[in-house]
Amino acid sequence: NAIGSFCLINVTLAIFNLIPLPPLDGFKILSLIIPKHSYKAMMKYEKYFALGFMVVLLIDFYFFAYISDALLMGANFILNTCFMPLFNMIFY
C-alpha cells in the first residue's frame, strides 16, 4: 500500500528528527527546556556536535540502521494499530 509506506517513512523521519542533537530539531526543542546558561555552553560546541553526528552517521551506518529498524518497527506498529483502520474506512 503506497499510502501506508508513505506514512511509515514520514513518521520514522519525524521520530528521527526529534533526537536532541544539534543538527536535528530535537535539539531546538531541548533548548527551550534547559537553562539559558546550559544552552549557551552547548551552543559554543554546536558545530562540533553536528560534525561528530555526521561522522558517526557515516562511519557507523550499521548502528544507525539498527536504530532506524527499531524506529520503523515502532512506527509500523503505530500505523497498523491506529491509522490503518482509519485509512481502510476512508479508502475502502
Side-chain angles (χ1 to χ4, degrees):
N1 184 333
I3 295 173
S5 297
F6 178 76
C7 290
L8 180 65
I9 290 169
N10 280 310
V11 168
T12 303
L13 289 173
I15 292 170
F16 180 77
N17 202 26
L18 290 176
I19 297 173
L21 292 174
L24 303 175
D25 289 334
F27 180 74
K28 292 175 182 69
I29 295 170
L30 181 68
S31 68
L32 298 173
I33 299 169
I34 61 175
K36 285 190 178 194
H37 65 278
S38 298
Y39 176 71
K40 287 180 182 180
M42 291 177 76
M43 289 305 293
K44 286 197 287 190
Y45 303 107
E46 179 185 17
K47 62 183 173 183
Y48 301 114
F49 280 127
L51 180 64
F53 179 73
M54 295 301 170
V55 167
V56 169
L57 185 64
L58 292 173
I59 291 174
D60 201 0
F61 181 74
Y62 292 109
F63 174 71
F64 283 98
Y66 177 75
I67 290 174
S68 67
D69 283 345
L71 290 174
L72 279 172
M73 287 186 345
N76 193 15
F77 175 76
I78 290 170
L79 283 174
N80 285 332
T81 57
C82 299
F83 296 115
M84 284 312 245
L86 181 63
F87 287 145
N88 289 336
M89 285 186 347
I90 294 171
F91 295 112
Y92 297 109

